[in-house]
Amino acid sequence: MAVERTLVLIKPDGVQRCYSGEIISRFEKAGLKIAGMKMAWCNKQHAMKHYTEDITKRRGEFVRNKLLEFLTIGPVVAICLEGVEAVEVVRKLVGGTEPRTAAPGTIRGDYAHMSYTYADDIKKAIPNLIHASGNKDEAKSEIALWFTPEELHSYRTVHDVFNI
Ligand code: ATP
Ligand code: MG
């Protein structure tokens, strides 16, 4: 089944820079359906369930701790997006992890600039506006972490009606 769901978080830097509308609009214009959306200010326990030990394995304990701090400094906008190959398509629109090298035209490439080395120098998690599920398994567990089944909606958009 090619239609799938994925999780996006507009991280605190995106909310505080007032880019929420712009970011949501990019996904909508690409044909992705908003299945669920809410603003949430999460605590460290919740952040730890989002950025799990998997991050420690890939990025190290220091980066995970900075990320947990970063995710809890202000509210995030959590969005469950639905569409054809949504996990992959959303990652493409979001762009690479490091804003310095994220391709122009992507959200991170257009609206952020920081490098890994600069973030490490100032001992911060790299502010790159968005989180997006990395694969289908991540999407499944992350959607369940941020949304109850009642908060997710099934309805038709023009893309469903006209198969476009
Ligand atoms: P995300 O999971 O947030 O969608 P990603 O999948 O592109 O981003 P990950 O490897 O999962 O990247 O890292 C999670 C987040 O950790 C990144 O989005 C970034 O904010 C932060 N990060 C990763 N590496 C570093 C680093 N070396 N220094 C500072 N922050 C980092
Ligand atoms: Mg990731």
Side-chain angles (χ1 to χ4, degrees):
M1 178 72 165
V3 176
E4 58 195 27
R5 286 178 169 178
T6 188
L7 182 91
V8 160
L9 298 179
I10 304 176
K11 294 183 190 178
D13 58 326
V15 173
Q16 290 169 352
R17 289 178 62 196
C18 306
Y19 274 133
S20 301
E22 173 66 33
I23 289 168
I24 293 163
S25 178
R26 284 190 173 213
F27 294 126
E28 282 191 303
K29 285 176 187 163
L32 291 149
K33 183 193 299 184
I34 299 169
M37 180 160 69
K38 64 178 164 190
M39 187 172 241
W41 193 329
C42 77
N43 59 24
K44 190 169 174 192
Q45 281 67 37
H46 189 89
M48 285 171 81
K49 289 183 192 161
H50 179 80
Y51 284 125
T52 62
E53 283 295 330
D54 173 60
I55 287 284
T56 314
K57 281 187 215 128
R58 289 192 294 110
R59 301 286 190 180
E61 194 63 42
F62 182 78
V63 168
R64 184 181 183 218
N65 285 333
K66 290 291 149 191
L67 261 177
L68 297 175
E69 249 175 66
F70 177 48
L71 203 64
T72 53
I73 56 164
V76 303
V77 177
I79 312 162
C80 175
L81 291 172
E82 184 181 298
V84 178
E85 311 284 354
V87 175
E88 187 188 323
V89 170
V90 166
R91 293 284 290 193
K92 178 193 69 174
L93 296 173
V94 167
T97 306
E98 184 189 37
R100 180 177 71 101
T101 56
T106 65
I107 294 166
R108 287 168 173 169
D110 284 352
Y111 301 133
H113 68 282
M114 201 180 286
S115 65
Y116 285 129
T117 47
Y118 189 82
D120 293 346
D121 281 354
I122 62 170
K123 299 185 172 31
K124 282 183 72 169
I126 205 158
N128 56 6
L129 299 154
I130 300 253
H131 161 82
S133 305
N135 56 55
K136 290 177 201 195
D137 288 340
E138 241 179 61
K140 207 170 169 208
S141 57
E142 290 176 356
I143 291 166
L145 175 65
W146 288 90
F147 291 96
T148 64
E150 296 72 36
E151 290 172 326
L152 297 171
H153 306 283
S154 293
Y155 61 97
R156 297 209 300 165
T157 65
V158 286
H159 302 286
D160 303 310
V161 175
F162 297 109
N163 271 324
I164 50 177

